[in-house]
Amino acid sequence: MNKNYTMEDEGFKMEIKDDILFIHYKKGLRFDLDISRKFVAKRLEFLKGKQYPAVVIDEGLLSMDKPARDYFASDEGIGGVTAVAFIQKTLFSKMLIDFFIRGSQPKITARAFDNTNDAITWLKSIRPIESA
């Protein structure tokens, strides 16, 4: 089991727990293409060349435009992430996740969940989690 690592700024918190990357988008965040690129650069720096399955938890994201969604679905945008489980907390997050999964068609396996435990179980079932 890995140690826990954390990185946080005004828009998000990332932590690695038990070889899973947890990404918390903070309340009030608005993603456009420029902010998305900066976030991915920070994620890659945080992961230090390693790859992890991820749980993405939206704490109150206000918006994410189509260029940002398409970027997150691209080869560059998924850097460091092997699969993603989204936690749906609000109607808006459900709609945004649906737009992302169905509309942007990410190049990794992605699925939405109502709770974190189911998301973690699913991530562990689709690919054994390797120590990073």
Side-chain angles (χ1 to χ4, degrees), residues 80-96:
V81 177
T82 59
V84 63
F86 294 98
I87 306 303
Q88 310 175 128
K89 287 191 168 188
T90 65
L91 179 60
F92 178 72
S93 69
K94 288 178 184 185
M95 291 174 21
L96 188 60

Side-chain angles (χ1 to χ4, degrees), residues 56-92:
V56 176
I57 303 163
D58 172 17
E59 303 293 345
L61 184 69
L62 291 179
S63 65
M64 182 180 291
D65 63 18
K66 183 165 178 14
R69 288 192 309 270
D70 290 345
Y71 174 73
F72 277 126
S74 72
D75 288 335
E76 184 178 345
I78 62 170
V81 177
T82 59
V84 63
F86 294 98
I87 306 303
Q88 310 175 128
K89 287 191 168 188
T90 65
L91 179 60
F92 178 72

